[in-house]
Amino acid sequence: MNSRRLHSVFEAYTGGTPAITSAKFLKMMKDATLLDQDFRQSEVDLIFTKNKDKGQRTVGYEGFKRAVEMVASKKQVASKDLAEFLIIKCGEGPR
């Protein structure tokens, strides 16, 4: 995964804060047009929840990277390919 460029996407969706919310993560997935019949909002929420610390409402960058890997697995693509796709589709931040 191109960590530096992916981190820029992360920061674009967090507004520069050190963690991303579930709503912003979902927005990123929608902006990247990743949701479909086989990958729904409920699965995005579940992936986000699996990567946040207990009692927290946000996910830091390391958890975000793990979530991207889980999304890639669900979409049956390599995590580096999904990371590049997110960089292209979401690099300028929320639409």
Side-chain angles (χ1 to χ4, degrees), residues 2 9 18 25 29 33 39 41 45 56 65 72 82 85 87 91 93:
N2 187 328
V9 174
F25 185 68
M29 297 298 108
T33 63
F39 186 62
Q41 178 177 338
D45 292 337
Q56 297 296 312
K65 287 193 308 185
L82 179 63
F85 184 76
I87 291 164

Side-chain angles (χ1 to χ4, degrees), residues 3-80:
S3 194
R4 193 170 348 141
R5 290 174 51 210
L6 186 61
H7 194 270
S8 293
V9 174
F10 174 80
E11 287 181 330
Y13 277 80
T14 64
T17 64
I20 192 166
T21 64
S22 176
K24 293 288 185 173
F25 185 68
L26 176 60
K27 174 79 171 129
M28 183 186 296
M29 297 298 108
K30 286 180 177 179
D31 287 352
T33 63
L34 290 173
L35 298 182
D36 58 28
Q37 284 186 337
D38 297 320
F39 186 62
R40 299 173 187 256
Q41 178 177 338
S42 60
E43 290 172 294
V44 173
D45 292 337
L46 184 60
I47 287 171
F48 183 87
T49 299
K50 285 181 178 180
N51 286 286
K52 70 180 181 68
D53 290 332
K54 190 172 185 172
Q56 297 296 312
R57 293 178 174 246
T58 59
V59 170
Y61 182 64
E62 292 303 315
F64 169 75
K65 287 193 308 185
R66 288 190 306 270
V68 169
E69 291 171 359
M70 292 176 76
V71 171
S73 177
K74 177 66 181 168
K75 298 296 281 183
Q76 299 180 341
V77 298
S79 56
K80 71 176 190 113

